[in-house]
Amino acid sequence: MKRRAAVHPIGPVAGVSNDWRRWIAENLVLGSHPDTLAGVLREHGVPPDVALAEIDAALASPYLHGVLRLHSRLAKRDWLLGIEARLQRMAPPELTTVVPRRARLSGETFLREHYLTNQPVIITDMLEDCPARGWTLDALARRFGPRIVEVQGSRTADPDYEMNSIAHKAVMPFGDYVAQVRAAGHTNDFYMTANNDGRNRAALAELWEEMPRLPEYLADERKGFFWLGPAGTVTPFHHDLTNNFMMQLMGRKRVRLIAPCHTPQLYNTRHCFTPVDGRAIDLQRFPALAGMPIAECELAPGEILFLPVGWWHFVEALDISLTVSATHFRWDNDFYSSYPSNHDF
């Protein structure tokens, strides 16, 4: 599988820094020709003899040879994923770009046809009798207005707001937040998300008694994550480390999904995120996404979207939106414990 070259460090070179040495090693592993790398180094001020000496030293390094062996094993895994990705591209669109809707899906059918096969599905007609379906902004503000909650703020000033979510935490009375949501119109600048769960679980404790129970799918625990925001909130493309239910209680959300087999083409360099913008995919910047099957759905109030572990998803609120997410399934859902610890390189 052809790999793209690593982006070189910014700015001129004074000697050869460790950043440039890492760049040399990464591009040799990715298959770049030494003469090409020497040319880039010369363009950035490295004398030709120094550039060649650095590249020769890298090529002779036993550390690089060890990395190359590991890279070959990983390339084999990418090749196997690539088989599934190619087959997906060959499939008719209704098999790869449409998320099926299933009414009142039984737990056994859900387990057999979706949970165990890692396939998304929208489940309908399961939330009608849930107390949470009666929530409104007015009613929530009356019940919890003075309580101090945590939200994410100042998101639009930071293109990496989701990765930097801790830095965007702010607190305010819940009633003030509801008023802010009402007045905001269309914005992605603030949002109450699962990342704010630590404080909000206590501040809005009574709501957890009213969350959907769904014993067909979920363990008998009162758990869930609360998402509330204006139209326009965006959760960028990422994958979760567990299976996840999105239970839509108010407003609509647009969701785009990409199967895990396409991960090698998703420019994933930090944790579970990709810089690909789900609102308008830039194929000049991200050419590997050309022709990639992307499923899309609109989640309406009363519907549940099953997001299988490892599936990349982009979420955009089309209205003022309230969503409850849950991960406490009846079946094994601990994929987090085996997640690689050095995922931020």
Side-chain angles (χ1 to χ4, degrees):
M1 181 177 296
K2 186 177 180 181
R3 303 294 294 272
R4 71 191 189 282
V7 176
H8 61 66
I10 301 298
V13 177
V16 178
S17 67
N18 284 336
D19 280 342
W20 279 98
R21 291 189 176 104
R22 280 189 285 269
W23 177 82
I24 291 169
E26 183 176 357
N27 280 282
L28 288 172
V29 170
L30 291 172
S32 296
H33 195 280
D35 291 346
T36 302
L37 304 185
V40 173
L41 289 169
R42 288 195 298 271
E43 290 173 5
H44 285 79
V46 179
D49 58 332
V50 174
L52 291 173
E54 287 288 345
I55 293 170
D56 287 344
L59 288 168
S61 168
Y63 296 115
L64 183 68
H65 294 166
V67 170
L68 284 169
R69 284 199 298 270
L70 176 60
H71 178 261
S72 294
R73 293 200 294 270
L74 294 176
K76 172 70 174 289
R77 297 181 191 180
D78 281 356
W79 176 78
L80 292 168
L81 287 173
I83 293 172
E84 186 176 349
R86 284 179 61 184
L87 294 173
Q88 270 219 343
R89 290 171 187 261
M90 292 166 56
E94 61 268 20
L95 295 182
T96 58
T97 62
V98 177
V99 181
R101 277 180 162 80
R102 307 284 300 274
R104 301 194 66 82
L105 196 60
S106 73
E108 182 59 33
T109 301
F110 169 71
L111 173 66
R112 185 175 62 253
E113 298 183 10
H114 296 280
Y115 200 88
L116 296 180
T117 61
N118 199 236
Q119 292 298 309
V121 64
I122 295 172
I123 304 172
T124 66
D125 304 316
M126 293 295 287
L127 299 178
E128 287 89 345
D129 299 327
C130 169
R133 284 287 283 126
W135 292 346
T136 66
L137 289 184
D138 287 341
L140 293 174
R142 285 194 299 270
R143 293 173 66 186
F144 305 107
R147 300 191 190 179
I148 303 300
V149 294
E150 182 180 280
V151 301
Q152 290 184 32
S154 304
R155 287 157 51 104
T156 54
D158 180 2
D160 295 323
Y161 58 84
E162 194 67 27
M163 284 189 288
N164 302 329
S165 61
I166 293 176
H168 291 274
K169 289 184 177 181
V171 295
M172 64 177 67
F174 182 73
D176 290 356
Y177 179 68
V178 169
Q180 190 173 333
V181 168
R182 284 190 181 283
H186 190 279
T187 182
N188 187 37
D189 198 44
F190 57 89
Y191 195 13
M192 179 185 290
T193 79
N195 288 324
N196 306 117
D197 180 63
R199 175 184 287 268
N200 295 343
R201 183 171 295 274
L204 306 173
E206 294 90 331
L207 292 185
W208 269 259
E209 296 298 315
E210 302 170 13
M211 295 280 192
R213 301 296 298 275
L214 300 176
E216 297 86 349
Y217 320 115
L218 301 177
D220 188 19
E221 302 175 62
R222 296 198 181 272
K223 291 183 178 180
F225 301 94
F226 194 76
W227 306 69
L228 174 62
T233 54
V234 167
T235 302
F237 262 125
H238 69 289
H239 68 79
D240 292 334
L241 309 184
T242 59
N243 290 295
N244 199 341
F245 259 175
M246 277 181 62
M247 297 176 272
Q248 194 65 15
L249 300 175
M250 184 188 305
R252 299 165 300 142
K253 281 185 170 174
R254 171 194 179 207
V255 185
R256 307 190 80 187
L257 302 103
I258 299 176
C261 61
H262 297 289
T263 297
Q265 290 81 47
L266 275 167
Y267 304 85
N268 171 217
T269 56
R270 271 198 67 186
H271 193 14
C272 56
F273 296 97
T274 171
V276 175
D277 188 344
R279 289 165 291 193
I281 295 175
D282 184 348
L283 293 180
Q284 288 190 322
R285 184 181 175 194
F286 305 114
L289 273 72
M292 180 174 293
I294 301 177
E296 184 169 321
C297 63
E298 183 178 297
L299 197 62
E303 295 184 330
I304 305 166
L305 173 60
F306 173 57
L307 288 170
V309 59
W311 274 71
W312 295 84
H313 51 285
F314 161 90
V315 184
E316 180 179 18
L318 303 177
D319 312 300
I320 293 175
S321 177
L322 195 161
T323 309
V324 170
S325 60
T327 61
H328 54 291
F329 288 94
R330 291 170 49 197
W331 311 282
D332 180 19
N333 197 24
D334 180 17
F335 301 96
Y336 175 83
S337 296
S338 57
Y339 188 65
S341 59
N342 58 342
H343 47 62
D344 286 337
F345 287 100

